Amino acid sequence: PKTDVVFLKVHKSASSTVMNILFRFGETHNLTFAFPQGGGFQLYYPHHFLARFVQGFSPQSPRRFNILCHHMRFLQPEVRKVVPSSAVYFSILRNPVQLMESSFVYYKGASAFSRVRSLEQFLRQPYRYYNPASGDRHYARNLMTFDFGFNPDGEVSPERVQLMLKAIEASFDFLLISEYFDESMVLLKEMLCWDLDSVVSFPLNSRDSSTKSPLPDSVVEKLKAWNRLDWEIYTHFNRTFWERIERDIGRERMGREVRALRARQAELARTCLQGTGSVGPKDIKDSSLKPLQHGGARILGYNLKQGLDEELERTCRRLVTPELQYSSLLYKKQFPPRPP
């Protein structure tokens, strides 16, 4: 199994669920994480990543960390300073239309969104609300482009798009697609030589459907045009995702693997969870399992069954621990507080 991994955690793309998979794998195999300085949750995002943002990094010591997976704005020369040269680089993408709808609800406080009632209103006159000079502009335009380190307001010429796609291909070994999450997990397992249980998951940081609304076609087209760079990235890597599956796994085997993954997840859900799955924030009984609530979204969580034996309790708890709590836990393990 490959143990040196860089995951570019793209916002609002099921990346918290992937992060939970990496946290569990790292904890099980005693691996080290490149944590933000002081145990924060983002690597000084939205600034481009620098090696000195990582706790325990020093230019004098060649110390390398196994897993880099916290939110960052990608800059590969700096990333290379903190992970082994053998590290596997991957990320996950989401359809920019759904991504922006999610971003609008989640980052309602962002300067571009705070004065509008709806996405439709924003898209009618985006430049009335969107300021390319504001520090949080990226939440409102080409968020994936921004996370990959590029300019979200860059021109959309065919040459520039090609350069951007080539740069991403040169830096990343593969990109997953959140709309095909189970297939993505099978591909991840394949590329990293991990076993099935390493890539099982329950959806984390997902929204209650009451805050989701279908978008009219006219809005969808405007969203694609407004996020054209993201759309180019997404359509290109969605195509290469399926090409890679055809080449490395084959559709038939992929079907079998996905069924096995879903069966294992269903079995774990029956074993671990009270009720049929996720619940609203006010129904989560264990406060240590409550996810952070943000913007206008209602973020769902889970209740564990009572009376599980110790080993099983630990397995189940890891699967449902929200990102911030899990990150803090692992940080304290890796950098134990000094006794007074």
Side-chain angles (χ1 to χ4, degrees):
K2 301 211 168 36
T3 53
D4 300 325
V5 175
V6 173
F7 172 53
L8 177 63
K9 185 174 188 286
V10 168
H11 287 77
K12 314 312 313 151
S13 305
S15 56
S16 294
T17 309
V18 177
M19 197 175 189
N20 176 274
I21 287 169
L22 295 174
F23 279 168
R24 288 185 348 244
F25 187 85
E27 186 181 18
T28 307
H29 295 84
N30 250 334
L31 304 176
T32 55
F33 290 87
F35 283 109
Q37 280 284 359
F41 302 112
Q42 301 196 341
L43 291 152
Y44 288 79
Y45 187 87
H47 298 284
H48 272 108
F49 177 81
L50 295 174
R52 61 182 169 80
F53 296 166
V54 172
Q55 177 79 41
F57 169 80
S58 120
Q60 288 78 41
S61 92
R63 179 174 186 190
R64 297 282 194 267
F65 300 90
N66 301 112
I67 298 177
L68 174 60
C69 62
H70 287 72
H71 272 309
M72 65 170 157
R73 190 172 182 207
F74 191 65
L75 187 61
Q76 191 162 28
E78 289 290 316
V79 170
R80 283 198 177 120
K81 296 176 184 175
V82 298
V83 295
S85 55
S86 59
V88 177
Y89 287 69
F90 77 101
S91 185
I92 188 164
L93 304 173
R94 182 181 185 185
N95 184 315
V97 175
Q98 280 74 49
L99 179 88
M100 180 140 182
E101 188 274 332
S102 176
S103 188
F104 181 77
V105 175
Y106 201 78
Y107 300 112
K108 192 69 187 75
S111 57
F113 294 151
S114 57
R115 307 199 313 274
V116 290
R117 282 189 313 283
S118 65
L119 260 183
E120 285 95 318
Q121 186 187 348
F122 174 80
L123 290 161
R124 272 199 295 276
Q125 297 173 288
Y127 281 108
R128 195 176 152 188
Y129 310 105
Y130 176 83
N131 173 6
S134 79
D136 62 359
R137 74 189 193 284
H138 51 284
Y139 292 124
R141 186 174 205 190
N142 290 317
L143 182 49
M144 295 191 289
T145 302
F146 183 87
D147 285 355
F148 276 95
F150 304 102
N151 175 7
D153 296 300
E155 51 148 343
V156 192
S157 64
E159 298 78 27
R160 192 169 178 284
V161 167
Q162 275 313 304
L163 280 173
M164 183 171 72
L165 297 175
K166 290 268 183 297
I168 295 172
E169 279 177 336
S171 300
F172 287 84
D173 296 287
F174 58 101
L175 295 182
L176 307 173
I177 303 287
S178 67
E179 282 77 14
Y180 304 102
F181 193 79
D182 293 343
E183 290 84 354
S184 290
M185 292 306 100
V186 172
L187 184 64
L188 181 67
K189 164 173 102 66
E190 196 69 14
M191 301 303 292
L192 299 178
C193 306
W194 289 6
D195 62 6
L196 183 70
D197 268 13
S198 296
V199 297
V200 298
S201 63
F202 297 143
L204 294 176
N205 204 28
S206 58
R207 251 190 319 152
D208 179 355
S209 55
S210 69
T211 59
K212 296 179 187 172
S213 48
L215 300 166
D217 290 348
S218 58
V219 172
V220 169
E221 289 313 312
K222 280 182 180 163
L223 273 173
K224 283 184 196 170
W226 176 248
N227 294 290
R228 180 66 195 283
L229 291 171
D230 271 10
W231 186 250
E232 295 286 350
I233 291 175
Y234 178 76
T235 48
H236 175 81
F237 287 105
N238 188 14
R239 194 179 67 247
T240 58
F241 175 79
W242 292 104
E243 286 168 2
R244 167 160 261 161
I245 283 170
E246 294 281 357
R247 192 183 69 231
D248 294 352
I249 301 176
R251 295 273 172 144
E252 199 179 308
R253 188 174 139 226
M254 175 54 86
R256 287 200 305 274
E257 296 263 3
V258 165
R259 287 193 292 279
L261 177 66
R262 287 177 182 161
R264 180 66 180 128
Q265 280 170 179
E267 181 191 350
L268 279 164
R270 286 193 299 273
T271 307
C272 295
L273 304 179
Q274 281 182 31
T276 49
S278 52
V279 295
K282 63 177 193 308
D283 298 318
I284 302 167
K285 300 187 182 78
D286 180 340
S287 62
S288 71
L289 296 180
K290 278 192 176 165
L292 172 78
Q293 300 298 318
H294 201 294
R298 283 181 67 226
I299 306 299
L300 304 173
Y302 297 91
N303 286 316
L304 291 180
K305 278 189 173 154
Q306 301 295 300
L308 299 169
D309 72 62
E310 203 176 324
E311 180 81 3
L312 193 55
E313 203 308 315
R314 197 161 65 239
T315 300
C316 293
R317 180 168 288 275
R318 280 180 181 149
L319 278 161
V320 299
T321 299
E323 173 186 328
L324 303 190
Q325 287 93 309
Y326 208 155
S327 185
S328 297
L329 206 87
L330 293 173
Y331 178 81
K332 289 191 187 104
K333 205 169 153 180
Q334 189 168 311
F335 300 103
R338 296 207 177 102

